[in-house]
Amino acid sequence: MKKRDFLRVSSTVAVGSMVLPLISCGKEEKAAEGVAKAVSEAGFELPDLPYNFDALAPAIDEETMKIHHGKHHAGYVRKLNAALNEAKDLKADSLEGLLMEIGPEDTALRNNGGGHYNHSLFWKIMSPNGGGQPTGDLADAIKSDFGSFAAFRDEFTAAAGLFGSGWAWLCVKDDGKLMVTSTPNQDNPLMKNIVDETAQPILGLDVWEHAYYLNYQNRRGDYIEKFFSLIDWNSVEKNMKAAG
Ligand code: MN
């Protein structure tokens, strides 16, 4: 097997195994089929949403979800696969490894590898049954590292107000503590050659205008507030525990 083929297959497996435990009840069988199909084909594949396109309305409307998933995310996957065809020297054997390896000059892999990873996480940490506040170990960690849920929420909301397009993140740092940060464009906290402090993202919010403009126009603050009614805290807690 050529190295590039190995990278593709391994990457797909790694993404599948990362995402699978976060699928909500009743979707396991469908997700397993998706992973098997992806492994049998070259390159990364657009993951299905774990809910219907209209499931997050009215916080996020159906048309926005269809365009965001079927056009924007699909475009990142397509361009990532095209960029991998041109990448000769990559050593990474997973999508996470790819993000950790690339540098600022790897424009296509940076934008589209980040775009694929970021959106794959974003869909999983929202749910039509989301909202409220975390419980259990995640609630304890937020209280310990931010002082209170309200303080965390304020910090995250401020991060999501970054100028221009980008993402707000809740991450687990190397020392195990939680951190809020933001990245521009499709950058990701795993990009150690690009960000100031590397960390494992466990919750992400897309604040590109394409994520909210149809419904909210210029009112990004209203979109951020509604996003909190969608957060699947069980999913975020699983991500925290997987981050170790
Ligand atoms: Mn987006």
Side-chain angles (χ1 to χ4, degrees):
M1 184 187 280
K2 288 186 298 184
K3 192 172 80 178
R4 207 158 61 223
D5 295 335
F6 172 75
L7 169 67
R8 288 172 171 177
V9 171
S10 305
S11 302
T12 312
V13 172
V15 172
S17 58
M18 179 188 76
V19 162
L20 265 178
L22 310 181
I23 303 280
S24 59
C25 292
K27 297 285 187 184
E28 286 87 349
E29 198 176 312
K30 191 178 174 194
E33 283 175 10
V35 170
K37 183 164 175 262
V39 170
S40 70
E41 297 173 357
F44 291 98
E45 187 173 76
L46 179 68
D48 290 336
L49 292 179
Y51 34 72
N52 293 328
F53 288 111
D54 63 356
L56 304 182
I60 301 180
D61 62 282
E62 180 177 6
E63 187 178 8
T64 294
M65 290 299 293
K66 283 183 171 170
I67 295 170
H68 201 175
H69 178 264
K71 301 293 183 188
H72 292 278
H73 189 176
Y76 296 123
V77 173
R78 188 177 67 249
K79 290 173 193 169
L80 171 60
N81 288 332
L84 284 171
N85 274 328
E86 304 297 318
K88 307 295 183 198
D89 302 322
L90 278 173
K91 298 179 182 64
D93 62 358
S94 69
L95 182 55
E96 289 196 0
L98 177 81
L99 301 190
M100 287 188 251
E101 181 179 340
I102 58 171
E105 308 303 321
D106 297 319
T107 307
L109 293 172
R110 178 182 181 178
N111 291 342
N112 299 297
H116 179 36
Y117 183 100
N118 297 347
H119 289 84
S120 298
L121 175 65
F122 184 48
W123 311 133
K124 300 292 178 197
I125 54 81
M126 295 189 289
S127 164
N129 304 314
Q133 294 192 16
T135 56
D137 292 342
L138 178 58
D140 293 344
I142 285 175
K143 185 158 192 238
S144 172
D145 296 335
F146 297 99
S148 67
F149 179 78
F152 153 72
R153 183 175 170 139
D154 287 347
E155 192 172 333
F156 188 90
T157 298
L162 81 158
F163 183 78
S165 297
W167 291 75
W169 304 102
L170 174 64
C171 303
V172 178
K173 296 191 290 183
D174 291 345
D175 65 5
K177 292 192 182 310
L178 298 175
M179 170 181 82
V180 163
T181 190
S182 64
T183 55
N185 304 314
Q186 295 296 350
D187 286 355
N188 180 286
L190 289 169
M191 294 177 178
K192 67 180 182 184
N193 300 316
I194 292 170
V195 296
D196 290 337
E197 183 174 10
T198 312
Q200 175 70 48
I202 62 172
L203 166 70
L205 171 59
D206 188 344
V207 294
W208 283 57
E209 285 186 344
H210 69 227
Y212 63 88
Y213 207 84
L214 288 180
N215 201 21
Y216 295 93
Q217 293 83 49
N218 61 321
R219 303 186 306 278
R220 187 193 287 188
D222 292 351
Y223 162 69
I224 296 167
E225 188 178 335
K226 293 288 193 214
F227 168 70
F228 274 90
S229 73
L230 299 175
I231 299 174
D232 182 350
W233 290 112
N234 291 328
S235 178
V236 179
E237 184 172 34
K238 284 178 190 164
N239 292 344
M240 179 182 78
K241 290 181 174 173

